[in-house]
Structure formats: structure tokens, C-alpha cells
Amino acid sequence: MKTMAGTLFKRLGLDLNSVLLACYLLAVLSAHYFVSMQGTAGGFLFWITAVTAGVLLAVCPYLLRRLSRVEIMCRKEEEKKNGAVWFALFFLLSFLVLCCYYTAYFPGGFSSDSIYQYSQAQTGVYNDWHPVLHTFVVFAIPLKLTGYPAAIIFFQIVWCSLILAYMAETFRMYGSMTYAAGSLLFILMNPVTGSIMMYPWKDVGFAASALLSMVYVLRTNLSKGAWLEKRGHAVMFSAVLVFAALARHNGILFALPLLAAIFFYSRKKRWVQAVFLFFALWFAVKVPFYSMLHVEAPDGRKMEVLGLPLTVIGNVAKENPGAMDSQTAEFVYDLAPKESWEYYQCGSFNHIKFHGVDWDAVEERSVPDILGMMLRCIKNAPGHAFMALFSLTDLVYAVDGDTSAAAVLSAGITENESGIEYAGNEKLRNYLGSYSSIINKGIFKYVFQYIGIMNLAVLCSILAKNNFKRADGWKRSFFAVPLLAYNFGTMLLLTGADFRFFYVSFLVCPVIIFAMFHVDFQVKGSQLLLKKE
């Protein structure tokens, strides 16, 4: 079969990588067509999908051939001077841009979640519903040092600017100034960056620590393992990765693949040490440190990981209740009264989640039972089930469509009893709002508001630059697995279109692209010399 498929691909001018890209895009666009047509027009949907498949099989080989010629020349670290000066300039640029937002939205954005974490930091009574490590580092430390809530966002601006500067200096040191400046501007010009970093959310803490850990692995790869050989570097890598894993409860989807990826770029002994350090620090935080803080374990976590089946069941309950079997109907009306389901919105269980849903109804059922009910809903009402499925998950892979999930990220302060209130510069806030509106309504929205474009860029770079018939192709591709595992794994846990969960994609994507397209100048030079001879 493999030989027959290979022969067919060759006759059509295709290769395996092109076919993989075409299949991915076909799945993405088919889901888009299905949602756009509200699951109707079956015949037309078939034909437009068939035409799309033909176009993709023609375009994808050309696209990958063009991308395969792109190179970022990487040079030795010692050949790039004035590192401290450039790092300072990169930091200053990042700091000033974020301070513009800070001035406009002073003292920052505090949602209900943020107020809850702020109260924990003030009282010292911690609950792990929101990760306690994040609450302690981002909220408690600034408050203990200054006593001012405004310091929370200011500290966040400082350490995020340091991480962005470190990323840019890594690109400059090992690659080119053009790529370094372009990557930094790509992040800073995104209105989402300014908005989301005005909130002390775990999404920001996770994204920043994930970026830093990726840059550490990139340096390890580009230095042929030398970077990780320093004991202090190994400790820093493990500590930052532990924070990324614990800053979000699903951060482990990113941390474990990255911990595995570094196996390919370092000595086995050093990798084993890094793994040991990671789990030792993890244990130190989760057991003695949390015990010292008397952390309370949260209740109701099952609903947080069953968003997808609940969303599918919910849409069938609203649109086609007759398709539910008796067990599913009993479960649905235990969750909420029949009249409440009229307010359910397709693709978002969040619309009913906090409005009268009995959380115990989910906790009392087993995971296999709920998954079984979802499968029966798909069998009995496939149109309504897949509408809910695609409407919920297309936030992660869509390359066009609704961008309201990103647009809602405008810093604000929830009513609170802590005395935190808006005192920002209204004029500057209006200017930033106008800038955001211009960017988000033009062509730039595709690179600033679509997580699907970031995932597509990562996949294209992998498929364009790696030959999977060779071991080095697999090794280099594994560098992108943490982001893809996190994005598509988290997609299966969603209860609604929450854009901030995936902001990490916009920070990490430039690092992955650099890793895929970099070419060692010594290797490239020797290849050219051989050609001349």
C-alpha cells in the first residue's frame, strides 16, 4: 500500500508533506463551511469540499517548495558583539510600549478571577481553583513588597519585557537583527498583547514562562547542547518549566512535551538531570510549599475538563431534545430546568454554566457515562452535534470567521470591595482603542487575532523544512510539539471560546519558525564550497 501511495503521489507531483498539509487545510475549511452553512446544503457542501481538495493538492506542493528555500542564517554566539546593549534596547522598547497601555488602563485590568486571586493574596487563604503558584508569585509578592495593587501589573510588565528582550537578543545573537526586531514588533504591535498584559491573568504568566522555556531549549539546540551544560542554566530551565506547568492547570500539556523535546538537543546525562530537577521542583511546590500555605483543594473540577461533551449534549438538548435517550434527558434536566436551555448558545456551554446549572449533576456522573451520552447525541442528531463541536473548537484552527473572542480583551475592573478602581488616562485609552480598531478590521487581523493562523504557520514551517525520512527531521520537528499539544489538547477541554487560553501561540510561534528555518552558516558554507569544487 505504501509503495502504491508513493507511486500515485509522484505521478501527481505530490509528496507526503504536501498531502499532510492539504489534508489539514481541507479539514479546517470543511469545518468552516459546515458552520457557515449551519449544517445544511449537504450536496453543495460536498461539491465545494471536493473542489477545495483539488485546489489544495495543487497549491500545497508549490507553497512548501517556496517555503523550503527560506533560510535564517545562524552564526556563532561569539561573533555577535554588544549583547548587553541590544538586550537593554529590546527591553526598553517592550517596557515603553506596555507602559503606554499601563498608563491608559492604570492600575490595570482586574476581572472577577483577578479580584478573587487578589483577595487570596491579601488574606493568605489560598484555594487552588486558580493556580496558587501563580497567585503567590504574581499577586502576593508585589503586594508584600509594595502594598499597592497597581504594583501587580507593573511587576508583570517588567518581567514580561525582560523575557521579550531575551527572546529578541537570542534571535539577534544566533540569527539576524532583522528577524529579532521583526519578531519583537510582531508581538508588541498586536493590540491583544497590550490588552491581555494589563490583566494579572494566569494566561499571561503561563504564556511568558512558556516563551522563556522555549527560548532556553532553542539556545540548547543552537549551541549543540552547550547552553544546558551549565548547572545554573539547567536549574533555570527546570524552574521556569515548572512555573509554566503550574501557572495553568492544563500547562502540563505544554511542559511535558517540551521536557521530552530537550532530549534530542542535549546529552542524555544532562537531560536526565533536567527531568529530575523538574519533578523535584514540582514536588517541592505541590507538597511542602502548598502545605505551608494551607492550600485548599478546589471542588467541581470535572466540569472544567468535560466542556466539549457538555457543549455537544447542550446543543442537542436545545435544538433537538427528542433525539436524546432517556439517560441523557435525565442528565440534561438534572443540570438545568427545561426552560433554561432556551438561553443556551451553540458552541458555548459557558452561557449556561454560571446561570443556574447544578454542578453536582456533573460531579455525580462518571466521565465514561458523560462521554457515552455525547456519542449517542452524535449518533442520533449528527447535524446539531457537529455544529456544537465545530463552533466550540474552531477558535483553535479557524483561518477566517468571527474574531469577537479576541476583541473582548479590553482591560477593565470588576466592581469590588478592595478599593481597586480605574484611574487611567482616558485620552490615551481612546487612542489605543482606535489603533486596535484599525488593526483588527484590516488585513493584520489574520496574524494578530487568529490562533489558527499561528498553528498553520507552525505546521507549514515543519512540513517545508523537514524530511521525515531522516532522523534529524523528526528531531527538529519535535520542537513544535509542545505548542501543538497544548493548543489542540486544551481545545478538547473548552467550555466556550476563550481566546486568552491560547495567547501563548503568538509568543511562541516566532521561536518555532526560527528553529525550523535556521541554517548554520558553517554547514551552509561547506555545502556551497563542495558545489563549487
Side-chain angles (χ1 to χ4, degrees):
M1 290 293 293
K2 289 184 179 180
T3 305
M4 291 176 62
T7 303
L8 179 62
F9 288 169
K10 287 181 180 179
R11 287 181 177 178
L12 295 174
L14 300 171
D15 59 85
L16 177 61
N17 289 13
S18 300
V19 173
L20 290 174
L21 179 59
C23 289
Y24 173 78
L25 284 171
L26 183 62
V28 168
L29 294 174
S30 296
H32 175 70
Y33 297 153
F34 186 87
V35 172
S36 299
M37 299 175 188
Q38 298 293 306
T40 60
F44 180 70
L45 181 63
F46 171 81
W47 285 110
I48 193 172
T49 302
V51 171
T52 300
V55 172
L56 290 174
L57 288 173
V59 170
C60 287
Y62 173 79
L63 174 63
L64 293 184
R65 280 196 301 270
R66 298 287 294 182
L67 286 176
S68 67
R69 297 170 190 166
V70 177
E71 295 176 346
I72 302 172
M73 299 299 290
C74 295
R75 303 185 179 277
K76 289 183 178 179
E77 179 179 349
E78 58 267 24
E79 292 189 359
K80 291 298 181 78
K81 307 297 182 182
N82 303 318
V85 174
W86 283 111
F87 177 87
L89 290 174
F90 291 140
F91 168 78
L92 187 61
L93 175 61
S94 304
F95 181 74
L96 290 176
V97 170
L98 294 179
C99 276
C100 286
Y101 284 89
Y102 185 56
T103 302
Y105 295 99
F106 186 85
F110 286 80
S111 64
S112 56
D113 288 347
S114 303
I115 295 296
Y116 180 60
Q117 289 180 273
Y118 176 80
S119 299
Q120 290 187 51
Q122 277 191 315
T123 61
V125 179
Y126 293 97
N127 185 293
D128 203 32
W129 179 268
H130 295 289
V132 170
L133 181 62
H134 175 263
T135 304
F136 186 84
V137 172
V138 175
F139 287 82
I141 291 178
L143 286 175
K144 289 180 184 298
L145 290 176
T146 68
Y148 296 105
I152 295 171
I153 299 301
F154 183 79
F155 276 48
Q156 180 167 280
I157 288 172
V158 171
W159 55 261
C160 282
S161 298
L162 288 170
I163 292 172
L164 290 174
Y166 186 70
M167 175 204 73
E169 173 54 18
T170 299
F171 293 155
R172 188 199 71 87
M173 182 168 61
Y174 287 100
S176 70
M177 180 62 190
T178 301
Y179 191 84
S183 298
L184 187 59
L185 289 174
F186 165 73
I187 293 171
L188 295 177
M189 288 179 63
N190 188 346
V192 172
T193 294
S195 296
I196 197 171
M197 287 199 180
M198 291 306 101
Y199 282 100
W201 280 334
K202 56 184 177 286
D203 311 278
V204 178
F206 166 72
S209 56
L211 171 62
L212 183 56
S213 60
M214 287 286 284
V215 175
Y216 284 159
V217 177
L218 178 66
R219 285 193 173 222
T220 301
N221 180 22
L222 297 177
S223 64
K224 312 300 181 188
W227 187 89
L228 198 66
E229 286 300 308
K230 294 182 179 180
R231 188 172 299 175
H233 288 173
V235 173
M236 285 192 302
F237 168 71
S238 299
V240 171
L241 196 58
V242 166
F243 184 81
L246 295 178
R248 287 195 58 86
H249 291 304
N250 59 329
I252 196 68
L253 294 173
F254 180 92
L256 288 184
L258 188 60
L259 194 63
I262 206 167
F263 169 82
F264 297 112
Y265 315 125
S266 61
R267 287 191 306 118
K268 184 177 179 181
K269 181 179 179 181
R270 180 55 76 186
W271 176 74
V272 170
Q273 291 172 343
V275 171
F276 174 80
L277 276 170
F278 174 83
F279 285 106
L281 290 170
W282 173 290
F283 178 83
V285 172
K286 294 288 286 186
V287 180
F289 182 66
Y290 278 21
S291 296
M292 182 182 70
L293 295 177
H294 305 290
V295 174
E296 299 174 0
D299 297 322
R301 298 305 303 180
K302 192 180 288 185
M303 186 178 288
E304 296 299 301
V305 299
L306 291 172
L308 190 147
L310 291 174
T311 301
V312 170
I313 293 170
N315 201 49
V316 174
K318 178 184 178 181
E319 301 294 344
N320 191 359
M324 296 188 295
D325 60 86
S326 58
Q327 182 187 5
T328 305
E330 180 185 357
F331 169 65
V332 163
Y333 299 126
D334 282 346
L335 267 176
K338 189 172 184 179
E339 58 272 15
S340 296
W341 290 101
E342 293 298 319
Y343 300 100
Y344 174 86
Q345 182 171 317
C346 181
S348 179
F349 190 75
N350 281 341
H351 278 79
I352 196 172
K353 177 179 172 183
F354 297 110
H355 297 86
V357 167
D358 183 359
W359 289 46
D360 290 337
V362 176
E363 298 300 317
E364 291 167 359
R365 265 75 171 188
S366 69
V367 173
D369 281 345
I370 294 175
L371 292 176
M373 286 185 272
M374 178 192 71
L375 292 175
R376 292 195 294 276
C377 283
I378 292 174
K379 178 183 177 182
N380 297 334
H384 296 114
F386 281 112
M387 268 299 296
L389 177 65
F390 295 146
S391 297
L392 174 67
T393 61
D394 68 351
L395 171 71
V396 177
Y397 50 77
V399 293
D400 196 6
D402 184 25
T403 60
S404 59
V408 298
L409 288 175
S410 180
I413 297 176
T414 300
E415 290 186 13
N416 61 89
E417 298 178 356
S418 302
I420 304 175
E421 56 185 22
Y422 171 69
N425 186 305
E426 194 70 35
K427 191 173 183 179
L428 182 55
R429 186 173 185 169
N430 290 334
Y431 285 146
L432 291 173
S434 298
Y435 169 74
S436 177
S437 180
I438 291 170
I439 291 293
N440 296 338
K441 291 180 180 178
I443 194 171
F444 285 107
K445 71 177 183 181
Y446 289 100
V447 293
F448 288 155
Q449 289 199 337
Y450 286 97
I451 299 148
I453 295 293
M454 297 299 102
N455 286 326
L456 180 59
V458 168
L459 288 171
C460 285
S461 64
I462 294 171
L463 296 173
K465 300 300 290 188
N466 296 293
N467 182 353
F468 294 112
K469 294 180 180 179
R470 298 171 54 182
D472 60 342
W474 286 99
K475 289 179 180 179
R476 190 153 67 162
S477 298
F478 210 89
F479 186 73
V481 169
L483 180 65
L484 297 177
Y486 172 82
N487 281 350
F488 288 97
T490 301
M491 176 185 78
L492 301 178
L493 306 176
L494 291 173
T495 54
D498 208 327
F499 182 90
R500 58 183 178 152
F501 288 8
F502 305 97
Y503 173 67
V504 62
S505 304
F506 297 92
L507 298 187
V508 169
C509 187
V511 185
I512 295 174
I513 290 174
F514 187 92
M516 295 301 121
F517 286 91
H518 85 271
V519 177
D520 191 298
F521 84 109
Q522 290 180 318
V523 174
K524 183 69 175 178
S526 63
Q527 290 175 344
L528 292 174
L529 184 61
L530 287 172
K531 286 181 180 179
K532 288 180 180 179
E533 292 177 349

